[in-house]
């Protein structure tokens, strides 16, 4: 019989166990003996954020629900359906950046009875080291992943791979998919974008006349971060929770919207209408008030939308 | 669509494919080759981790948490059909350098992206969602014959060349947008690298269910398990509540408008009406829609971003992070 393309089996170099090898795998950790099997000539250094056990994660979930002001009232009606964890590879990098910028800001002022807008030019330079983090997988999406990446940046005690007893952990380890060269480009691209946006927001700029950023990646490594994904049921509906296995931090939690909150949102949206009405006599005076009117009405619509939405999301910041 | 039969170059199976299929993936052995030359092609598949009962269960559990779903939904909704679709993508890793000179200064920028290009249209409503997919975190794997054979398995009709051009144009646009965000001088794209990562199939569950003689659609990401799209009925009671709430908001707007109009400016009446209609619009839209829609992917808050985009220059606040005029023209 002809061999199908799927019948290729990759074995661990140490114990011969089957490896969870996928086409983009650069390094694959054997589930049986913990050996790192490399599939790339160029290598990343790899570190691990230790994870708590499944029981600890589940306990943390119930503990949170018990003490949450909204959820504690329906504690008895909650049912945990799923608790699954896996290690996600995060690309970490130390990048040094240097550059200069010339930006502009529009300022609207009242002169006598009319309003005048003028443009102010600001300039500056920077020479900053950055620690950056990005998922080491292509175009991947997962609930809570972005929050986990944010958390990974501030982890100071990652462990080397060898220090971890993989057999005891029993979590699926997703493979890093980026080649070292791609990783470097990804980090440089990110450094450019992050710095530009942080200058823009910290200096309240409306735009740039010029911005340059020379970046150099000094070192990069892969950090395996434990992401726990939980699903619970309340009155037939499914809600997701993601928890960092590292410190049991809740990364993202979706909760049902209860009646009391819906009423609160409705009252809020009615208040925005009142503010909108108060603003209207001023509309002809300046465009600023027109802008405020649009914003207040949009905020009201946002609250009205929340009033009839299905979940309330809490994100770790 | 006109069809033709091709013999697999590896296992000799006869495969019926569209006349326009550019690359053939044998659904029996996974051998992948270019139709015109027989050249072997790089090919992978995203595994489907969700079977049909659990896909339906996930969809139900998602719908049941939505606001306004009738109380008898669980008992009355019945699955009519569930089909696994495997949709092909050409995947590229793209990189572009753009540059800008301004007043004797020179800067260059780097833009990197991974870009899946939808390589075949299914001719169903799935296409709209398939075009803007973010892949599952669990990643691609090797060919799986059972997944291919128990599904609608689409051959890529878009050639590699066409897909390459799309990826090329995309990264070029992104690089120019990046330069526009950073610099107002004269800009250009210096160098573009587009690397092919191969052809992949991504699995979707396309489902239809019936509730009280009306049919509704569901789309689920079979690899990541995400609910990408659902339609569901809204109960009469919820419609009434939403209409009442909207009326309440509009009444408050009108009354306060009239009050202020008599005291200060007649403009207040128009303002009150306009503001209350804007504020109640989400409720009104939902109360009058025949079917409501939902998705588990990140909420689409475009309207609120648009409002901010319009309002922020008027107030003199900066346009928020990663949003600029350039985005308007380059967003996918």
């Amino acid at each position: 019989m002809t061999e199908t393309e799927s019948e290729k089996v990759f074995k661990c170099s140490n114990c011969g166990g089957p490896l969870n090898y996928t086409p983009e795998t650069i390094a694959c950790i054997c589930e049986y003996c913990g050996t790192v099997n490399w599939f790339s000539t160029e290598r990343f250094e790899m570190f691990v954020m230790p994870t708590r056990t499944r029981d600890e994660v589940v306990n943390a979930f119930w503990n949170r629900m018990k003490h949450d002001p909204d959820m504690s009232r329906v504690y008895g009606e909650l049912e945990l359906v799923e608790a699954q964890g896996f290690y996600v590879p995060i690309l970490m990098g130390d990048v040094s950046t240097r550059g200069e910028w010339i930006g502009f800001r529009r300022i609207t002022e009242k002169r006598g009875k009319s309003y005048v807008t003028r443009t102010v030019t600001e300039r500056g330079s920077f020479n900053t080291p950055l620690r950056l983090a990005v998922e080491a997988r292509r175009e991947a999406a997962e609930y809570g992943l972005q929050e986990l990446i944010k958390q990974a940046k501030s982890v100071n005690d990652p462990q080397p791979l060898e220090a971890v007893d993989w057999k005891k952990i029993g979590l699926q380890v997703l493979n890093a998919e980026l080649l070292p060269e791609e990783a470097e480009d990804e980090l440089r691209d990110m450094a450019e974008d992050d710095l530009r946006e942080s200058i823009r927001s910290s200096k309240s700029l409306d735009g740039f006349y010029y911005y340059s950023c020379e970046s150099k990646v000094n070192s990069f490594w892969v950090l395996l971060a434990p992401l726990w994904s939980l699903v619970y049921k309340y009155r037939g509906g499914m809600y997701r929770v993601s928890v960092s296995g590292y410190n049991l931090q809740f990364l993202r939690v979706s909760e049902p919207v209860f009646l009391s909150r819906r009423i609160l949102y409705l009252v809020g949206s009615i208040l925005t209408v009142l503010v909108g009405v108060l603003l209207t006599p001023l509309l002809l005076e300046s465009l600023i008030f027109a802008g405020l009117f649009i914003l207040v009405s949009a905020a009201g619509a946002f609250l009205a939308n929340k009033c009839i939405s299905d979940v309330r999301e809490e994100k770790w910041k | 669509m006109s069809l033709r039969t091709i013999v697999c170059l590896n296992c000799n199976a006869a495969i019926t494919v569209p006349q326009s299929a550019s690359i053939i993936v044998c659904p029996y052995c996974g051998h992948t080759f270019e139709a015109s030359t027989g050249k072997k092609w790089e090919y992978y598949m995203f595994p489907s981790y969700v079977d049909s009962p659990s896909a339906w269960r996930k969809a139900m559990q998602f719908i049941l948490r939505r606001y306004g779903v009738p109380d008898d939904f669980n008992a009355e909704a019945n699955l009519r059909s569930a089909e696994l679709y495997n949709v092909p993508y050409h995947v590229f890793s793209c990189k572009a350098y753009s540059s800008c000179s301004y007043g004797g200064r020179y800067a260059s920028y780097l833009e990197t992206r991974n870009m899946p290009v939808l390589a075949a249209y299914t001719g169903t409503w799935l296409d709209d969602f398939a075009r803007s997919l973010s892949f599952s975190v669990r990643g691609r794997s090797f060919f799986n014959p059972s997944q291919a054979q128990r599904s609608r398995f689409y051959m890529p009709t878009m050639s590699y060349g066409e897909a390459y051009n799309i990826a090329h144009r995309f990264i070029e646009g992104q690089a120019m947008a990046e330069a526009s965000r950073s610099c107002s001088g004269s800009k250009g794209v210096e160098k573009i690298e587009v690397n092919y990562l191969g052809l992949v199939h991504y699995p979707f569950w396309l489902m239809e269910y019936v509730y009280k003689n009306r049919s509704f659609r569901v789309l689920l990401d079979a690899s990541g398990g995400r609910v990408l799209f659902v339609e569901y009925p809204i109960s009469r009671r919820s419609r009434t509540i939403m209409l009442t709430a909207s009326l309440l908001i509009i009444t408050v707007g009108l009354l306060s408008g009239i009050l202020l109009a008599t005291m200060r400016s007649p403009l207040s009446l128009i303002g009150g009406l306009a503001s209350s209609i804007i504020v109640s619009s989400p409720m009104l839209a939902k109360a009058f829609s025949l079917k409501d829609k939902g998705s588990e992917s990140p909420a689409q808050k475009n309207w609120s971003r648009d409002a901010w985009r319009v309002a922020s220059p008027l107030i003199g606040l900066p346009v928020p992070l990663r949003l600029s005029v350039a985005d308007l023209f380059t967003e996918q």
Side-chain angles (χ1 to χ4, degrees):
Chain A
M1 206 185 119
T2 329
E3 187 195 49
T4 67
E5 303 279 316
S6 59
E7 282 167 5
K8 292 173 194 160
V9 175
F10 293 87
K11 289 181 180 163
C12 173
S13 60
N14 180 43
C15 72
L19 289 178
N20 182 27
Y21 176 83
T22 62
E24 282 144 324
T25 301
I26 285 163
C28 195
I29 292 159
C30 174
E31 280 177 36
Y32 304 92
C33 70
T35 303
V36 185
N37 293 266
W38 288 95
F39 291 93
S40 153
T41 45
E42 292 175 87
R43 294 179 179 187
F44 289 102
E45 253 195 295
M46 278 187 146
F47 295 93
V48 184
M49 282 159 73
T51 183
R52 307 288 185 89
T53 62
R54 187 184 185 279
D55 286 347
E56 283 175 298
V57 172
V58 169
N59 283 340
F61 165 78
W62 286 116
N63 209 17
R64 181 198 155 95
M65 292 306 176
K66 200 182 233 167
H67 294 102
D68 185 272
D70 280 336
M71 299 306 291
S72 55
R73 283 181 284 146
V74 295
Y75 184 77
E77 290 178 72
L78 305 179
E79 182 196 334
L80 186 65
V81 185
E82 198 181 293
Q84 196 189 15
F86 41 83
Y87 265 112
V88 190
I90 296 175
L91 173 69
M92 306 282 299
D94 280 334
V95 184
S96 51
T97 59
R98 244 166 52 139
E100 55 171 333
W101 55 271
I102 308 169
F104 61 90
R105 186 186 328 137
R106 291 191 199 92
I107 297 176
T108 308
E109 289 167 334
K110 195 169 184 177
R111 293 238 180 97
K113 279 200 164 180
S114 60
Y115 287 84
V116 182
T117 303
R118 62 190 173 90
T119 306
V120 180
T121 305
E122 279 205 39
R123 53 186 75 219
S125 61
F126 56 88
N127 191 345
T128 329
L130 290 177
R131 161 83 42 106
L132 296 171
V134 62
E135 73 262 28
R137 298 178 69 72
R138 296 177 197 283
E139 292 287 303
E142 182 69 35
Y143 193 74
L145 180 59
Q146 290 313 315
E147 287 76 14
L148 184 68
I149 291 171
K150 247 187 261 171
Q151 188 186 62
K153 267 204 227 182
S154 54
V155 168
N156 294 321
D157 58 340
Q159 298 182 359
L161 277 186
E162 304 75 49
V164 179
D165 185 353
W166 288 99
K167 270 176 280 182
K168 221 166 106 189
I169 287 178
L171 291 195
Q172 191 191 346
V173 182
L174 302 182
N175 304 308
E177 293 173 346
L178 298 177
L179 292 167
E181 189 207 340
E182 286 179 284
E184 226 170 291
D185 287 339
E186 191 104 11
L187 290 169
R188 285 181 47 214
D189 182 9
M190 196 179 192
E192 274 174 25
D193 291 358
D194 279 15
L195 265 174
R196 187 188 56 233
E197 296 311 330
S198 81
I199 293 168
R200 187 208 287 271
S201 65
S202 69
K203 305 281 176 187
S204 302
L205 297 178
D206 284 310
F208 287 97
Y209 292 125
Y210 177 76
Y211 164 79
S212 75
C213 174
E214 273 175 49
S215 53
K216 188 169 163 275
V217 179
N218 299 322
S219 61
F220 56 87
W221 61 98
V222 165
L223 180 60
L224 296 172
L227 181 66
W228 282 88
S229 169
L230 284 71
V231 177
Y232 70 93
K233 244 163 78 171
Y234 168 67
R235 297 201 176 161
M238 168 247 327
Y239 301 85
R240 272 176 193 263
V241 175
S242 58
V243 184
S244 159
Y246 174 66
N247 57 1
L248 300 178
Q249 180 76 56
F250 286 79
L251 301 167
R252 262 175 110 159
V253 180
S254 61
E255 289 179 0
V257 186
F258 296 104
L259 184 63
S260 54
R261 225 169 250 279
R262 289 194 199 280
I263 292 171
L264 217 62
Y265 289 137
L266 181 64
V267 171
S269 60
I270 290 173
L271 285 178
T272 60
V273 172
L274 289 175
V275 176
V277 172
L278 286 175
L279 280 171
T280 38
L282 305 167
L283 284 185
L284 296 179
E285 279 190 34
S286 160
L287 280 178
I288 293 186
F289 295 111
L292 274 179
F293 180 80
I294 295 173
L295 268 194
V296 166
S297 303
F302 177 73
L303 286 174
N305 195 32
K306 282 225 150 215
C307 178
I308 50 169
S309 65
D310 54 344
V311 287
R312 204 166 64 82
E313 286 226 321
E314 284 182 19
K315 289 183 199 172
W316 179 75
K317 289 202 176 81
Chain B
M1 192 194 297
S2 58
L3 301 171
R4 61 176 161 157
T5 304
I6 277 194
V7 174
C8 171
L9 301 177
N10 181 48
C11 72
N12 292 329
I15 317 161
T16 309
V17 298
Q19 197 73 42
S20 54
S22 58
I23 295 160
I24 314 295
V25 184
C26 173
Y28 305 100
C29 71
H31 181 67
T32 307
F33 54 99
E34 201 173 25
S36 55
T37 61
K39 190 179 133 200
K40 193 174 183 316
W41 207 262
E42 185 91 352
Y43 170 77
Y44 305 103
M45 187 179 228
F46 274 81
S48 163
Y49 294 106
V50 185
D51 60 3
S52 130
S54 49
W56 173 232
R57 200 169 52 241
K58 272 178 193 285
M60 280 288 274
Q61 288 171 348
F62 177 75
I63 294 169
L64 281 169
R65 76 175 202 197
R66 306 289 295 180
Y67 176 74
V69 175
D71 293 337
D72 61 354
F73 184 81
N74 208 355
E76 294 282 332
N78 290 305
L79 185 63
R80 180 190 273 170
S81 66
E83 263 189 297
L84 187 65
Y85 278 62
N86 276 292
V87 181
Y89 291 84
H90 289 294
V91 185
F92 297 91
S93 133
C94 313
K95 175 165 135 181
Y97 295 91
S98 54
S99 67
C100 175
S101 63
Y102 172 84
R105 291 177 166 83
Y106 176 86
S108 81
Y109 312 104
L110 168 65
E111 187 65 23
T112 60
R113 288 292 177 96
N114 288 300
M115 168 85 181
V117 180
L118 183 61
Y121 289 107
T122 63
T124 66
W125 54 276
L126 159 67
D127 293 343
D128 287 340
F129 295 89
R131 224 176 290 146
S132 55
L133 175 78
S134 61
F135 285 167
S136 160
V137 75
R138 292 211 247 182
R140 53 188 193 167
S141 187
F142 295 103
F143 174 76
N144 172 338
S146 77
Q147 183 177 326
Q149 286 159 27
R150 68 191 162 88
S151 70
R152 282 179 182 261
F153 194 70
Y154 287 84
M155 299 291 164
T157 47
M158 180 187 280
S159 70
Y160 162 75
E162 259 177 282
Y164 179 93
N165 287 340
I166 290 176
H168 197 276
R169 275 201 303 275
F170 169 75
I171 194 70
E172 191 175 10
Q174 292 292 318
M176 273 309 274
E178 171 95 354
S180 305
R181 275 191 287 267
S182 310
C183 180
S184 65
S186 66
K187 296 171 272 281
V189 175
E190 303 274 292
K191 189 175 151 200
I192 295 178
E193 284 172 31
V194 176
N195 292 314
Y196 190 53
L197 299 174
L199 181 75
V200 299
H201 269 102
Y202 200 91
F204 298 92
W205 279 108
L206 215 70
M207 295 183 279
E208 197 184 300
Y209 70 91
V210 179
Y211 171 80
K212 295 193 173 163
N213 294 326
R214 284 169 67 206
S215 72
F216 298 86
R217 300 174 297 174
V218 172
L219 179 67
L220 202 114
D221 164 0
S223 185
R226 291 167 297 172
V227 177
L228 296 175
F229 176 78
V230 286
E231 285 176 338
Y232 56 92
I234 301 176
S235 69
R236 190 168 294 164
R237 194 189 62 196
S238 309
R239 280 184 208 275
T240 315
I241 293 174
M242 285 186 284
L243 272 179
T244 315
S246 308
L247 278 178
L248 179 69
I249 294 173
I250 293 173
T251 312
V252 170
L254 265 181
L255 287 180
S256 56
I258 291 170
L259 190 70
L260 207 66
T262 53
M263 287 159 60
R264 272 193 79 176
S265 151
L267 203 61
S268 306
L269 182 58
I270 302 167
L273 195 64
S275 160
S276 58
I277 289 176
I278 297 173
V279 170
S280 58
S281 60
M283 287 185 183
L284 285 173
K286 194 164 172 156
F288 285 115
S289 63
L290 287 174
K291 297 170 178 175
D292 204 10
K293 303 178 179 80
S295 168
E296 206 184 343
S297 338
Q300 291 175 350
K301 288 177 183 154
N302 290 340
W303 60 270
S304 59
R305 286 201 303 178
D306 289 343
W308 180 246
R309 219 196 286 257
V310 171
S312 51
L314 298 176
I315 312 171
L317 289 172
V319 178
L321 279 190
R322 293 179 192 282
L323 276 183
S324 65
V325 181
D327 290 319
L328 285 172
F329 303 105
T330 52
E331 257 171 29
Q332 267 275 291

